[in-house]
Amino acid sequence: MHAGSAILQLLVAGIGTGSIYALIALGFNVVFKSTGAMNFAQGEWVVMGGMISALLFASTHNIGLACIAAVVIVSVIGILSERLVVWPLRRPNALLITLVSIGLAICSRSLVMMILGKKPVGYPGFSEASTLFVGGIAIQTQTLWIVGLTLVFLLAMHLFFEHTIMGKALRAAAADRDAAAIVGVRVETTVMLSFAIAAFGGALAGALITPLTLSSYDQGALFGFKGFSAAMLGGIGSLPGAIVGGLALGLLEAFGSFYISSDFKDAIAFAVLLAILFARPAGLLGRADVVKV
Amino acid sequence: MLEVEGLIAGYGSIQVLHRISLRVERGQSVCIIGANGAGKTTLLRCLAGLLRPSAGRIAIDGADIIGGSASTRLDHGITLVPEGRRVFAPMTVRENLEMGAYRRLWPRRDRGVPADMDMVFDLFPRLAERQKQPAGLLSGGEQQMLAIGRALMSKPRLMLLDEPSMGLAPRVVQDIFATIRRLNAEGMSILLAEQNANMALKSAAWGYVIAEGEFVRDAQSDALSSDPAVKAAYLGL
């Protein structure tokens, strides 16, 4: 293959996986914003999105319906998770919620294994034709779906947080819980809503990636870690940071596994995470918190 | 309009307020003076629905509201300007004011909100100039104006203010108190908790003196200002 088209090919692949990481990173960021905690159940919601889509596709043979229903179901699971595990905490704090989320992740994984089985599942891409040839490179149509729907979702999130009173209430509660309560925001509801959004983003990522990679119950931890690395890379808590971090990580993986070795693909995320924690803990777009006392 | 009787409250097993009773008449300006840690903030937090008292009665216009949350207090026209201002630092000045009207925008939209925002901008032209800036970048005095503006956006009838002079330069304190007096003159009932007893007694008609969670005196502000014990303990004279 021609060097130029190899680079283009890698670029497309990197943007595709990068979009998936951006969706997962957004989930980390939204929950972090509202609780200050890292939600390590995020990766399990990706798996649920893929596996429930596959189950519904097997019975309905309607891929759009199956994926939409799966994303909605997982969002409800996100809400239930918050109500069952976070809401009952008498004195919630960031560390406690983070620890509890690890337990939630392990329980979710076991439940998925028991209910949906251990076998990897999949379904065809959203379009009939699976590959397009453009300018000498092959693009999987599913990659276009991934990038397109990720953009739509992120844009919708941007509009929600910047232009609706509910979105502003979420930001206000993230900035100062007490002051948000003073103006009448029910802070527990904003936490629940942030879990719903995070689960929605995760499930969407799972439903989109499954046609390319299949989906199995034990992938959650890796998805979670990739999304976490992307969130840290972009700047935890920052919504544009999720996009920048996700794409940067996707591209690094694509180019790294081509030019170094595909054996290192997963190691790249961890190397990036370590490097960013050493060099710039606030992330590319994050800034150190300025606290005025 | 506000009646409090035998209010007992605290945090966990620590009781902070011991049988507090007070009244604020419609359109009246009342202050509570006392040292740091005397229970002023705890009292205002109970009144604003942020802390549930363990006993006592809180009534607004004769209706008992003790069990309600902050949202229901806002619906009854009670709003709090908290200690330390507590603006939403990363959000813009305009967004902070919008959040003040949260109960009027969600779940149902009150068409009067934009007009009230213009009114706040008229009251504080500095905020109008800076409406697109993040609130965290404002000066202390501007943040206090924003905190008062945010409280006004809920369209309150009774405004609770907790230490509005805290950490501000004397000039700025003068301005803030002038604003409080102006709001009162326009009909707003005011309940003000202050360590700066001098300023508080000058702008309120009635004053309570709080010490260790109990009211030890209450009288007309003029009478309190000339009381030798109050002078010695709180006015530094």
Side-chain angles (χ1 to χ4, degrees):
Chain A
M1 200 195 289
H2 186 273
S5 58
I7 289 175
L8 273 180
Q9 189 82 61
L10 291 171
L11 210 57
V12 171
I15 291 172
T17 31
S19 300
I20 295 293
Y21 296 159
L23 287 174
I24 307 171
L26 179 115
F28 274 101
N29 284 347
V30 169
V31 171
F32 177 81
K33 278 273 243 193
S34 71
T35 62
M38 295 294 162
N39 167 32
F40 285 105
Q42 183 67 39
E44 308 308 321
W45 293 334
V46 180
V47 169
M48 286 183 196
M51 292 192 73
I52 295 176
S53 295
L55 182 75
L56 295 176
F57 177 70
S59 50
T60 63
H61 298 285
N62 181 333
I63 201 143
L65 190 70
C67 289
I68 291 168
V71 170
V72 171
I73 290 169
V74 178
S75 306
V76 173
I77 292 174
I79 291 173
L80 288 177
S81 304
E82 191 277 337
R83 285 289 108 160
L84 287 172
V85 178
V86 177
W87 187 60
L89 297 174
R90 286 196 54 196
R91 288 173 198 281
N93 65 53
L95 180 63
L96 199 58
I97 295 172
T98 303
L99 291 176
V100 155
S101 81
I102 295 174
L104 178 64
I106 295 168
C107 288
S108 304
R109 185 174 319 155
S110 304
L111 281 173
V112 167
M113 186 188 76
M114 286 186 330
I115 298 168
L116 300 173
K118 286 186 173 179
K119 242 178 43 193
V121 291
Y123 41 86
F126 294 179
S127 300
E128 289 284 332
S130 75
T131 316
L132 285 177
F133 292 91
V134 184
I137 60 163
I139 301 176
Q140 283 174 300
T141 51
Q142 188 65 18
T143 304
L144 299 178
W145 278 104
I146 291 172
V147 175
L149 288 178
T150 300
L151 277 177
V152 169
F153 178 65
L154 293 174
L155 187 67
M157 282 297 105
H158 173 78
L159 294 175
F160 172 71
F161 279 108
E162 298 296 323
H163 296 287
T164 69
I165 188 69
M166 245 320 166
K168 286 174 192 175
L170 251 71
R171 285 165 55 212
D176 189 328
R177 287 173 78 92
D178 219 38
I182 287 170
V183 299
V185 174
R186 288 177 204 279
V187 178
E188 311 83 52
T189 312
T190 67
V191 172
M192 186 183 81
L193 199 56
S194 73
F195 270 70
I197 292 170
F200 189 102
L204 180 62
L208 285 168
I209 193 80
T210 300
L212 298 181
T213 61
L214 300 185
S215 202
S216 83
Y217 79 95
D218 57 356
Q219 289 170 332
L222 193 58
F223 276 132
F225 230 93
K226 296 286 181 70
F228 176 64
S229 303
M232 293 301 290
L233 179 59
I236 190 76
S238 149
L239 296 185
I243 307 174
V244 170
L247 290 180
L249 186 62
L251 290 168
L252 277 170
E253 273 192 14
F255 282 90
S257 54
F258 183 77
Y259 286 107
I260 305 169
S261 157
S262 58
D263 295 337
F264 286 118
K265 183 170 161 281
D266 291 335
I268 287 169
F270 299 97
V272 163
L273 180 61
L274 286 177
I276 200 81
L277 287 176
F278 281 127
R280 204 178 145 78
L284 294 175
L285 299 190
R287 28 162 212 205
D289 274 337
V290 184
V291 180
K292 216 174 179 179
V293 183
Chain B
M1 81 176 286
L2 176 74
E3 277 175 275
V4 177
E5 271 169 46
L7 198 71
I8 295 176
Y11 304 93
S13 58
I14 303 157
Q15 190 179 329
V16 178
L17 299 180
H18 314 285
R19 305 191 60 76
I20 290 277
S21 298
L22 91 140
R23 291 175 69 87
V24 180
E25 302 298 338
R26 185 175 301 275
Q28 197 186 18
S29 176
V30 174
C31 71
I32 302 166
I33 59 174
N36 201 4
K40 300 189 296 294
T41 295
T42 306
L43 174 57
L44 292 196
R45 288 180 69 82
C46 288
L47 298 181
L50 297 166
L51 180 69
R52 187 149 297 190
S54 41
R57 176 167 177 268
I58 301 175
I60 185 116
D61 298 329
D64 262 326
I65 54 165
I66 195 157
S69 63
S71 318
T72 49
R73 293 289 202 282
L74 289 161
D75 297 342
H76 279 106
I78 303 179
T79 188
L80 171 67
V81 179
E83 185 178 11
R85 310 181 268 279
R86 308 298 286 270
V87 296
F88 301 113
M91 300 173 77
T92 65
V93 166
R94 177 174 271 276
E95 285 173 332
N96 267 268
L97 294 176
E98 251 183 283
M99 283 312 297
Y102 177 74
R103 286 294 293 171
R104 301 169 61 199
L105 293 168
W106 179 266
R108 248 174 307 143
R109 195 178 199 92
D110 178 342
R111 303 249 164 232
V113 171
D116 289 337
M117 195 175 296
D118 290 342
M119 182 203 77
V120 170
F121 284 144
D122 284 345
L123 187 64
F124 301 115
R126 302 277 297 173
L127 296 183
E129 289 162 26
R130 300 180 169 228
Q131 53 177 298
K132 291 196 175 125
Q133 285 188 21
L137 297 181
L138 301 181
S139 71
E142 289 163 346
Q143 288 191 4
Q144 189 64 63
M145 293 173 196
L146 181 56
I148 293 174
R150 182 177 68 187
L152 284 172
M153 289 301 292
S154 71
K155 232 178 173 177
R157 294 181 297 146
L158 169 64
M159 186 180 278
L160 313 171
L161 294 116
D162 196 355
E163 301 277 3
S165 76
M166 194 170 81
L168 300 180
R171 276 287 310 244
V172 182
V173 173
Q174 296 281 353
D175 288 349
I176 295 292
F177 274 87
T179 306
I180 296 169
R181 279 194 297 270
R182 178 172 159 190
L183 290 171
N184 181 235
E186 287 167 7
M188 178 91 65
S189 312
I190 302 278
L191 179 59
L192 170 74
E194 258 297 347
Q195 274 187 72
N196 186 339
N198 197 14
M199 283 304 298
L201 289 172
K202 266 190 223 160
S203 61
W206 194 269
Y208 290 83
V209 181
I210 190 170
E212 287 166 17
E214 281 176 284
F215 285 149
V216 291
R217 287 249 5 224
D218 73 282
Q220 298 241 331
S221 297
D222 305 343
L224 279 182
S225 306
S226 51
D227 182 294
V230 173
K231 267 183 167 169
Y234 302 103
L235 297 174
L237 297 172

